[in-house]
Amino acid sequence: QVQLVESGGGLVQAGGSLRLSCAASGIIFSFNAMGWYRQAPGKQRELVASIRSGGITNYADSVKGRFTISRPDAKHTVYLQMNGLKSGDTADYYCSAQNTRVYWGQGTRVTVST
């Protein structure tokens, strides 16, 4: 059974940085895409960043230039480097991975204080 485990969330001051990590296990088929989503209180889950086969990345407009997604060696780990954090980035962040279906992690909380 595929499992995604996130880490790296926490409390940070506005302007600070955090690096989220997501490690997948139990893979049968390689993922053709991995990504990060977030859900703030009272809001819908939204895409933050994704990376597809060939290293093609996609970012939400609100994080462009501040966040960077990476997937070293196109393996089963994905990172999200978050710089210049703002209070609006406060949310639960979820890792996702897709091969024949979409898998989700349990989430890691990011809180940005002002």
Side-chain angles (χ1 to χ4, degrees), residues 5 14 32 42 48 52-53 78 88 96 110:
V5 179
N32 50 42
V48 177
R52 306 200 314 265
S53 299
V78 65
S96 74
V110 172

Side-chain angles (χ1 to χ4, degrees), residues 78-101:
V78 65
Y79 301 99
L80 185 68
Q81 178 66 43
M82 305 186 294
N83 299 328
L85 283 160
K86 305 175 181 179
S87 59
D89 296 318
T90 294
D92 291 324
Y93 284 71
Y94 297 89
C95 175
S96 74
Q98 180 177 6
N99 47 31
T100 59
R101 51 159 285 187

Side-chain angles (χ1 to χ4, degrees), residues 11-31:
L11 174 65
V12 64
Q13 287 189 332
S17 298
L18 283 175
R19 188 193 195 206
L20 304 184
S21 301
C22 173
S25 62
I27 299 99
I28 298 176
F29 299 107
S30 295
F31 299 125

Side-chain angles (χ1 to χ4, degrees), residues 51-114:
I51 184 165
R52 306 200 314 265
S53 299
I56 300 170
T57 58
N58 182 44
Y59 294 93
D61 287 343
S62 59
V63 307
K64 283 180 181 176
R66 300 187 297 122
F67 291 10
T68 302
I69 190 170
S70 62
R71 186 182 173 191
D73 300 322
K75 296 296 184 182
H76 304 127
T77 302
V78 65
Y79 301 99
L80 185 68
Q81 178 66 43
M82 305 186 294
N83 299 328
L85 283 160
K86 305 175 181 179
S87 59
D89 296 318
T90 294
D92 291 324
Y93 284 71
Y94 297 89
C95 175
S96 74
Q98 180 177 6
N99 47 31
T100 59
R101 51 159 285 187
V102 178
Y103 300 90
W104 294 95
Q106 81 288 350
T108 185
R109 179 157 293 177
V110 172
T111 304
V112 183
S113 65
T114 55

